[in-house]
Amino acid sequence: MRKPVVNFLPYQQRWIQDESRFKIGMFSRQTGKTFSTGGECADDCFRGWAEDRRTRWVILSRGERQAAEMMTEVIKPFTKAFYEVYNTLVKGGEPTFEENEFRAPQEKGPDAVYKALEVGFPNGSRITALPANPDTARGFSANVILDEFAFHAKSREIWAALFPVISKGQQKLRVISTPNGKGNKFFELMTAEDSVWSRHVVDIYQAVQMGLDRDVDMLRKGMADEDAWAQEYELKWLDEASSWLDYDLISSCEHESAGKPEYYQGGFCYVGVDIAARNDLFVIWVVELVGEVLVTREIIAKRRISFAEQDQLLAEVFKRYRVLRCRMDQTGMGEKPVEDAKRNHGEERVEGVLFSSAAKLDMATSLKESMQDRKTRIPAGDVVLRADLHSIKSQVGVTGTRRLIADGDSDGHADRFWAGALAVSAAETEPTAYEYQGVADTRSRYAPQDDDDDDETDGAGRWGSTRGAW
């Protein structure tokens, strides 16, 4: 009996020994799915060489870098290891490693050119690694490995181009990935009710139980992201773009007294401003610091108003409240409003924020953590506000980087969300000394005429009162 070249773990052996024509595997990160699939591919080529049988494999990875990694870190080492075992059984020399070009004719313009990394065997067998796209998918009649298929851009187009080619002959198809939400072809293949596919599912706990050397607790703490952990290690089907703020969290921060300027206590306030673009909303969000809690005092949302009107609304906010810090969206057309606000209200109080991916994630995290700690209060029963806050989705891209997107279903395209995130993140800034001038009768416009906190009727509904505040 031939000694195995590599000692695979039980779940890896089960995957490799499954010779089904259509085989799909959903494996946790760091469990060796690419490693074991590459081993199956190399073993088939060597067995074909020994049996005087030619075979052809194409590996389609999510990008050029991943295709190169598959070839250099998996296929090449396996080829060298297998050759040490098979070299007495085969003839014709050693396998060769090549870098070629794959050209795909286009309907218009020059051919599309892709880097193709290959292992060539003396008997004519080949293993080719390429970045996945519809051009490369339809360009081969071969056994195919779709590596990390849930992360392939245009996964349905790739599938539509690939499957007819595979189905014409008796080629094998191997699809492997960790989950990446429900909006891709991998999810459909894993969950479809049919008998065509042989399915394998191994989460991190099963892999460790079968001998994988991983410290699960350390991995979980290191990731520090429960949604990502659930999807990438526990194989949970999360939405492709999971809600950054779920409805339970939003409702837990609602209070009937929030969002009512008449309850302003005269404390320091922080303001977030999302600048309007065409049909988007112009939003000003004001929070007052009451003890350790940021209480929403007012949310102003206006559509299709002039920059002059936006400036006037912000000026009125600065008059009504003791604004310690104001953060404004400076992206694109926000440059001039930010410049004007700094001139009118002081550079020490106004900060412009360019909405890069990192800046958005930082602000959104400030808002989420503040809400999780119950240190932010928002208006109760506002259906439009709830939808806007819920509309921001968290998505892990093909590079593993988390980014935030709006689902487009909310009334304001998440403009309220970003104004709130700007306001809450402004409260994290160290206070800056500035000269403050009070405005006469500010309280009279918003506070009840009877200002006696001891009165059972008026006092009980006030923020900071001993009854009814929370």
Side-chain angles (χ1 to χ4, degrees):
M1 183 176 181
R2 181 163 53 88
K3 183 179 180 181
V5 178
V6 179
N7 291 318
F8 291 100
L9 296 173
Y11 65 89
Q12 296 171 331
Q13 293 176 15
R14 189 164 61 238
W15 169 256
I16 293 170
Q17 292 167 2
D18 182 352
E19 297 185 356
S20 302
R21 185 181 175 196
F22 300 120
K23 185 168 67 173
I24 186 168
M26 183 166 67
F27 297 89
S28 164
R29 287 283 176 89
Q30 301 189 21
T31 54
K33 58 184 176 298
T34 300
F35 174 77
S36 53
T37 306
E40 177 189 9
C41 169
D43 182 58
D44 183 53
C45 287
F46 274 97
R47 283 190 292 110
W49 189 6
E51 298 166 1
D52 198 23
R53 169 177 55 85
R54 182 180 300 178
T55 187
R56 186 81 168 88
W57 284 87
V58 173
I59 302 164
L60 297 180
S61 297
R62 63 189 187 187
E64 192 171 277
R65 179 179 62 82
Q66 289 80 11
E69 288 178 355
M70 176 69 156
M71 180 59 68
T72 58
E73 297 179 14
V74 179
I75 300 301
K76 279 187 178 181
F78 267 123
T79 300
K80 293 176 180 178
F82 275 104
Y83 186 71
E84 292 298 319
V85 175
Y86 276 95
N87 61 8
T88 59
L89 304 176
V90 295
K91 299 177 182 180
E94 299 183 20
T96 58
F97 302 98
E98 306 168 6
E99 181 176 320
N100 299 312
E101 288 185 347
F102 174 77
R103 291 183 171 272
Q106 304 296 298
E107 291 184 4
K108 296 182 180 179
D111 293 349
V113 181
Y114 305 95
K115 182 190 293 185
L117 302 176
E118 293 189 321
V119 177
F121 295 83
N123 72 326
S125 294
R126 302 188 78 78
I127 302 173
T128 305
L130 284 163
N133 58 57
D135 287 337
T136 56
R138 67 170 57 90
F140 294 94
S141 179
N143 303 306
V144 175
I145 297 171
L146 293 173
D147 186 27
E148 289 290 10
F149 187 46
F151 294 87
H152 287 199
K154 301 180 180 179
S155 63
R156 290 184 177 83
E157 292 182 34
I158 291 170
W159 186 257
L162 171 71
F163 196 78
V165 178
I166 297 294
S167 61
K168 287 180 181 178
Q170 290 299 312
Q171 292 91 350
K172 297 177 181 178
L173 185 55
R174 306 291 182 249
V175 181
I176 54 174
S177 190
T178 52
N180 185 32
K182 301 178 180 180
N184 51 73
K185 189 64 182 180
F186 180 74
F187 170 77
E188 295 176 8
L189 294 176
M190 280 299 301
T191 57
E193 295 183 3
D194 57 48
S195 58
V196 174
W197 289 91
S198 176
R199 295 185 176 93
H200 295 243
V201 178
V202 180
D203 64 25
I204 189 65
Y205 307 109
Q206 293 169 317
V208 169
Q209 196 173 41
M210 293 187 210
L212 182 67
D213 185 15
R214 295 288 186 274
D215 186 331
V216 173
D217 292 335
M218 183 192 71
L219 286 174
R220 190 166 192 164
K221 290 177 182 178
M223 174 158 266
D225 187 324
E226 285 302 308
D227 285 344
W229 174 264
Q231 180 163 255
E232 297 177 22
Y233 286 90
E234 296 180 336
L235 309 182
K236 301 293 178 60
W237 290 114
L238 304 182
D239 287 339
E240 183 175 16
S242 302
S243 294
W244 185 251
L245 305 177
D246 61 53
Y247 280 118
D248 287 341
L249 177 59
I250 293 169
S251 63
S252 72
C253 294
E254 292 182 352
H255 192 274
E256 60 184 8
S257 296
K260 297 179 180 178
E262 60 266 29
Y263 288 115
Y264 175 45
Q265 296 185 4
F268 286 123
C269 292
Y270 300 90
V271 176
V273 183
D274 191 66
I275 304 297
R278 296 183 179 88
N279 292 324
D280 291 347
L281 287 174
F282 169 75
V283 182
I284 301 175
W285 190 309
V286 183
V287 295
E288 180 187 7
L289 184 61
V290 181
E292 295 184 349
V293 178
L294 295 170
V295 182
T296 299
R297 286 300 176 220
E298 189 171 3
I299 300 175
I300 301 169
K302 300 288 185 179
R303 193 184 302 277
R304 290 186 290 274
I305 63 173
S306 67
F307 283 120
E309 291 174 297
Q310 295 177 30
D311 292 344
Q312 181 60 35
L313 288 171
L314 184 59
E316 291 172 0
V317 164
F318 270 86
K319 289 180 181 179
R320 286 200 294 270
Y321 301 99
R322 298 178 66 195
V323 179
L324 193 63
R325 193 75 175 168
C326 172
R327 300 191 89 199
M328 301 178 64
D329 174 13
Q330 191 174 335
T331 312
M333 65 174 58
E335 291 285 350
K336 190 175 188 304
V338 169
E339 181 182 315
D340 293 341
K342 287 184 176 181
R343 183 177 61 253
N344 295 331
H345 310 297
E347 291 193 6
E348 72 280 0
R349 288 198 284 172
V350 176
E351 176 190 0
V353 179
L354 295 174
F355 272 35
S356 65
S357 296
K360 290 168 68 176
L361 183 58
D362 186 60
M363 289 186 294
T365 300
S366 295
L367 177 61
K368 185 174 184 176
E369 290 180 349
S370 181
M371 293 177 70
Q372 288 173 333
D373 294 339
R374 303 299 186 266
K375 290 186 177 180
T376 291
R377 294 290 183 270
I378 62 176
D382 189 332
V383 177
V384 174
L385 176 61
R386 287 175 183 168
D388 211 341
L389 292 175
H390 186 67
S391 68
I392 287 293
K393 310 296 182 182
S394 170
Q395 186 178 62
V396 179
V398 297
T399 63
T401 302
R402 184 172 296 282
R403 65 192 184 99
L404 302 177
I405 60 175
D407 64 9
D409 292 333
S410 66
D411 170 66
H413 300 288
D415 298 313
R416 295 179 185 84
F417 175 97
W418 290 117
L422 284 161
V424 170
S425 63
E428 296 180 342
T429 308
E430 289 295 325
T432 302
Y434 68 94
E435 183 179 351
Y436 171 76
Q437 293 182 344
V439 179
D441 296 327
T442 299
R443 290 288 299 278
S444 63
R445 182 176 177 184
Y446 296 102
Q449 293 300 313
D450 185 352
D451 198 24
D452 184 358
D453 283 347
D454 293 330
D455 184 274
E456 290 185 0
T457 303
D458 292 317
R462 296 280 304 281
W463 287 103
S465 64
T466 56
R467 299 175 59 227
W470 307 107

